[in-house]
Amino acid sequence: MSESESEKQDHQIDYYKEAVKLYYYNCILYNHLEKVMTERNDLKTKVLKYELLGGELAQLDDDEIMNQLEDRKKKSRRSAADIDRHFFCSFTNCKKAYGTEASLIQHQRLKHGQNSGMDAYFRI
């Protein structure tokens, strides 16, 4: 066997083995990435809890934190029957009334296509 043939044999690559190695390394990296993403999500939830509780997180356990977050209620809204409607739509055959002027203007803009004077002022 000459030197050139032995060099060719030394430089031949077993592509199957290389593909298996790459697949194996890819699986390891994927598992590691999943762990990192889980840790990232855990940290994000802890930061959110910390921000919601206004810095009181350090003294509390996770169970106590969850209890406090569950105890917080949404801001209550008035029912439609409780709203005093003093702002009436001026368009003919429209009998809508609203509790705030902003709601009336929004109604007129969306339903009747009316632009307020301020829209024209801010147009470029």
Side-chain angles (χ1 to χ4, degrees):
M1 197 185 295
S2 67
E3 287 181 37
S4 63
E5 289 177 12
S6 65
E7 286 178 11
K8 287 181 183 178
Q9 288 178 353
D10 290 341
H11 292 300
Q12 285 182 347
I13 299 173
D14 187 356
Y15 291 106
Y16 178 75
K17 284 183 182 178
E18 291 297 318
V20 170
K21 275 189 207 177
L22 289 173
Y23 177 77
Y24 178 71
Y25 292 142
N26 193 23
C27 290
I28 292 172
L29 286 173
Y30 182 78
N31 290 335
H32 183 69
L33 181 63
E34 282 183 333
K35 289 178 186 175
V36 169
M37 292 299 290
T38 303
E39 290 174 7
R40 177 181 172 262
N41 290 337
D42 290 343
L43 287 174
K44 283 177 76 174
T45 55
K46 285 183 180 182
V47 167
L48 179 63
K49 290 176 189 176
Y50 183 79
E51 289 173 352
L52 287 174
L53 294 175
E56 301 169 6
L57 183 66
Q59 299 102 9
L60 302 175
D61 295 336
D62 283 342
D63 294 333
E64 292 173 339
I65 292 169
M66 292 309 292
N67 288 338
Q68 281 196 9
L69 288 175
E70 289 172 2
D71 290 343
R72 292 184 181 208
K73 294 182 180 177
K74 291 175 110 179
K75 184 179 177 182
S76 61
R77 296 180 60 179
R78 296 184 293 174
S79 66
D82 294 340
I83 298 173
D84 295 329
R85 300 173 186 275
H86 300 290
F87 298 92
F88 297 93
C89 185
S90 59
F91 282 84
T92 56
N93 297 330
C94 185
K95 297 176 180 166
K96 296 279 187 172
Y98 294 91
T100 63
E101 186 178 12
S103 297
L104 173 64
I105 291 171
Q106 181 181 15
H107 161 76
Q108 290 175 341
R109 194 176 298 142
L110 294 174
K111 301 297 181 184
H112 302 296
Q114 179 186 13
N115 292 329
S116 68
M118 293 304 284
D119 289 343
Y121 178 77
F122 285 113
R123 231 180 261 144
I124 297 176

